[in-house]
């Protein structure tokens, strides 16, 4: 009898949904994990013949999926959840959000807000998030401390803010941050030019050059509203996407957020450049920004992933909810009930996000040798019966609150509904304190 290999953990579940290959549902399977990586995926009765785990977790009635990837947000804005609801975009920004940020955003605001956001994201199955906000050094530090995976995009704008005086300082501080985290495998630093209408040609060209040299991601709000596009055409004679293309900003490293206003010329530019689209369905709905034509983009071979945007315009960070909204909106915009099916929506929240961030060799699916970023969802409740199609249940029913376990790099961040790396009671107190400050205005 051959000797068994000692490993850290075996997780057994009623269903393992690896995402790659697509539409695959493995019934009564187990995932073996050792030293942060997935080492085997086999029927539950088979793994114990080859492996001796230090721990075996049997999650009957659960589904195991890859960790969800929130490809766009402003984590610290969780402290502004519900602060200024039901306002048009520019009124919301100019009269409410920007004045509040000017008054209240500080290093401590970022620390507390990011922790609050991570608590919500972890509890609803997100293991990796992309962020674009002020004091990115604190976002990176808090994500690293909590054990999450993150792409932290440092902001770049033409005008001064509490973090920097102008484009040169934004970029200089951001490049230093990238150096500081060069050896942290879970944290990647990217460029975050806010939008074409807030960043001039010269800094955008610099960003394009630096990003190419350093193979760094670039994330930018793009074609968020019809007004943005029409105003750009009036002032420059070009659609914003064409301007970015001409400046060299669009590439396979570029993540275009929102893209609710898309024509055939935009699609050609996205195809040629290899740029990705980050769809934020619920934020776009709430701010009446428009509807991203996701089915048309996907049929054109463009990678589309999902983001929540910030909690100030959503108001939650639950990617399961975004999956459902993305699927339903995708059908109505395509006028086709078969468009953006459940599997496609799940891909948008997992492997497609990993592709956009260029980490798909590490995460985004459950495959041998990939990092063990996993989520367990309890589907044993009566509201999930009968179980014809687990993937459909994950997308079309409300399951974010059913997450029971979350692992990143094989480290358990959420166990039986309890956080393992965040102090929730302390966060609750801090959130109330910030509410009282902002409410007083």
């Amino acid at each position: 009898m051959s000797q068994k290999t000692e490993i850290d953990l075996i997780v057994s579940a009623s269903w393992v949904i690896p995402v790659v290959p697509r539409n695959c549902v493995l019934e009564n399977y187990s995932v073996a994990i050792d030293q942060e990586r997935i080492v085997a995926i086999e029927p539950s009765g088979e793994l114990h013949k080859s492996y001796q785990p230090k721990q075996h977790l049997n999650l009957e009635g659960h589904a195991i999926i890859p960790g969800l990837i929130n490809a766009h947000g402003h984590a610290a804005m969780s402290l502004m959840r519900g602060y200024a609801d039901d306002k048009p975009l520019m009124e919301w920004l100019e009269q409410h959000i920007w004045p509040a940020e000017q008054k209240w955003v500080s290093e401590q605001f970022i620390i507390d807000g990011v922790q609050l956001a991570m608590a919500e994201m972890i509890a609803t199955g997100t293991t990796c998030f992309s962020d674009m906000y002020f004091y990115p050094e604190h976002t990176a530090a808090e994500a690293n401390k909590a054990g999450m995976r993150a792409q932290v995009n440092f902001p770049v704008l033409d005008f001064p803010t509490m973090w920097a005086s102008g484009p040169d300082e934004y970029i200089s501080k951001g490049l230093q941050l990238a150096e500081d985290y060069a050896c942290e495998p879970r944290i990647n630093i990217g460029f975050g030019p806010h939008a074409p209408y807030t960043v001039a040609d010269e800094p955008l060209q610099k960003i394009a050059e630096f990003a190419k040299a350093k193979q760094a991601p670039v994330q930018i709000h793009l074609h968020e509203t019809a007004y943005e596009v029409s105003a750009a055409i009036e002032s420059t004679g070009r659609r914003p996407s064409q301007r970015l293309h001409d400046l060299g900003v669009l590439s396979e490293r570029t993540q275009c957020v929102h893209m609710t206003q898309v024509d055939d010329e935009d699609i050609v530019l996205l195809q040629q450049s290899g740029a990705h689209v980050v769809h934020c369905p619920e934020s776009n709905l709430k701010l009446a920004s428009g509807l991203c034509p996701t089915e048309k983009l996907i049929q054109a071979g463009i990678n589309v992933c999902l983001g929540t945007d910030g909690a100030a315009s959503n108001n939650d960070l639950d990617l399961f909810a975004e999956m459902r909204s993305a699927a339903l909106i995708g059908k109505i915009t395509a006028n086709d009930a078969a468009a953006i099916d459940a599997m496609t929506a799940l891909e948008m929240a997992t492997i497609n996000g990993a592709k956009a961030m260029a980490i798909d060799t590490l995460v985004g699916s459950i495959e041998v040798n990939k990092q063990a970023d996993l989520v367990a969802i309890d589907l044993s409740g009566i509201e999930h019966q009968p179980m014809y199609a687990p993937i459909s249940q994950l997308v079309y029913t409300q399951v974010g609150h059913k997450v029971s376990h979350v692992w990143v790099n094989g480290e358990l961040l959420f166990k039986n509904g309890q956080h393992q790396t965040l102090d929730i009671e302390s966060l609750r107190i801090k959130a109330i304190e910030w509410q009282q400050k902002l409410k007083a205005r």
Side-chain angles (χ1 to χ4, degrees), residues 129-199:
F129 69 100
S130 179
D131 198 68
M132 181 201 290
Y133 210 53
F134 306 109
Y135 299 107
E137 66 272 23
H138 291 297
T139 301
E142 294 305 317
N144 209 26
K145 200 184 305 179
M148 289 195 78
R149 197 179 299 279
Q151 174 188 286
V152 180
N153 308 297
F154 58 86
V156 181
L157 301 112
D158 282 343
F159 48 85
T161 64
M162 66 290 295
W163 192 61
S165 60
D168 287 343
E169 188 179 5
Y170 287 111
I171 292 172
S172 175
K173 292 177 77 170
L175 291 174
Q176 182 58 56
L177 183 62
E179 282 189 32
D180 294 343
Y181 280 88
C183 296
E184 291 289 351
R186 284 184 287 100
I187 307 297
N188 190 26
I189 306 301
F191 293 82
H194 172 259
Y197 56 87
T198 53
V199 188

Side-chain angles (χ1 to χ4, degrees), residues 251-286:
S251 77
E252 70 280 359
R253 297 173 301 280
T254 310
Q255 302 155 17
C256 306
V257 182
H258 295 303
M259 296 299 289
T260 70
Q261 315 298 316
V262 178
D263 68 7
D264 290 343
E265 292 178 5
D266 300 322
I267 288 176
V268 170
L269 292 177
L270 292 169
Q271 288 174 321
Q272 290 176 346
S273 65
H276 312 267
V277 169
V278 185
H279 180 34
C280 302
E282 295 192 351
S283 177
N284 292 341
L285 287 173
K286 190 181 179 209

Side-chain angles (χ1 to χ4, degrees), residues 65-362:
I65 65 170
L68 303 182
I69 297 174
N70 186 346
H72 175 69
H74 314 284
M77 292 186 83
S78 289
L79 291 174
M80 294 181 179
R81 189 196 319 270
Y83 177 75
D85 285 336
D86 307 320
K87 305 283 193 299
L89 174 61
M90 294 317 295
E91 178 187 338
W92 176 76
L93 279 173
E94 293 173 355
Q95 298 180 29
H96 300 277
I97 298 302
W98 287 346
E101 287 179 331
Q102 189 66 33
K103 183 174 182 180
W104 293 112
V105 171
S106 62
E107 295 183 64
Q108 195 59 51
F109 181 97
I110 300 301
I111 291 168
D112 294 343
V114 168
Q115 288 181 359
L116 182 64
M118 290 191 300
E120 181 183 1
M121 286 192 283
I122 291 169
T124 51
T126 292
T127 56
C128 175
F129 69 100
S130 179
D131 198 68
M132 181 201 290
Y133 210 53
F134 306 109
Y135 299 107
E137 66 272 23
H138 291 297
T139 301
E142 294 305 317
N144 209 26
K145 200 184 305 179
M148 289 195 78
R149 197 179 299 279
Q151 174 188 286
V152 180
N153 308 297
F154 58 86
V156 181
L157 301 112
D158 282 343
F159 48 85
T161 64
M162 66 290 295
W163 192 61
S165 60
D168 287 343
E169 188 179 5
Y170 287 111
I171 292 172
S172 175
K173 292 177 77 170
L175 291 174
Q176 182 58 56
L177 183 62
E179 282 189 32
D180 294 343
Y181 280 88
C183 296
E184 291 289 351
R186 284 184 287 100
I187 307 297
N188 190 26
I189 306 301
F191 293 82
H194 172 259
Y197 56 87
T198 53
V199 188
D201 285 2
E202 185 180 348
L204 283 173
Q205 284 180 313
K206 285 183 179 179
I207 288 168
E209 291 165 7
F210 277 123
K212 183 177 181 179
K214 296 180 176 297
Q215 291 295 292
V218 177
Q219 185 168 106
I220 185 168
H221 299 101
L222 185 62
H223 290 211
E224 185 172 1
T225 64
Y227 173 77
E228 174 197 334
V229 177
S230 63
I233 293 171
E234 186 176 337
S235 63
T236 69
R238 293 175 293 176
R239 294 171 69 81
S241 61
Q242 184 66 55
R243 176 173 162 241
L244 293 186
H245 176 267
D246 294 346
L247 293 170
V249 176
L250 290 186
S251 77
E252 70 280 359
R253 297 173 301 280
T254 310
Q255 302 155 17
C256 306
V257 182
H258 295 303
M259 296 299 289
T260 70
Q261 315 298 316
V262 178
D263 68 7
D264 290 343
E265 292 178 5
D266 300 322
I267 288 176
V268 170
L269 292 177
L270 292 169
Q271 288 174 321
Q272 290 176 346
S273 65
H276 312 267
V277 169
V278 185
H279 180 34
C280 302
E282 295 192 351
S283 177
N284 292 341
L285 287 173
K286 190 181 179 209
L287 293 172
S289 299
L291 303 174
C292 178
T294 50
E295 178 72 7
K296 189 174 183 179
L297 291 169
I298 290 170
Q299 290 301 319
I302 295 158
N303 182 48
V304 180
C305 52
L306 285 181
T308 58
D309 210 350
S313 63
N314 188 313
N315 293 17
D316 64 59
L317 306 179
D318 183 348
L319 267 182
F320 283 106
E322 299 296 329
M323 276 191 263
R324 185 174 191 268
S325 295
L328 298 180
I329 292 168
K331 297 174 191 308
I332 205 71
T333 54
N335 194 29
D336 180 3
I340 311 298
D341 60 16
M343 186 66 227
T344 301
L346 181 59
E347 288 172 329
M348 289 165 73
T350 53
I351 191 65
N352 291 9
K355 288 176 181 176
M357 296 185 194
I359 55 173
D360 51 306
T361 59
L362 298 176

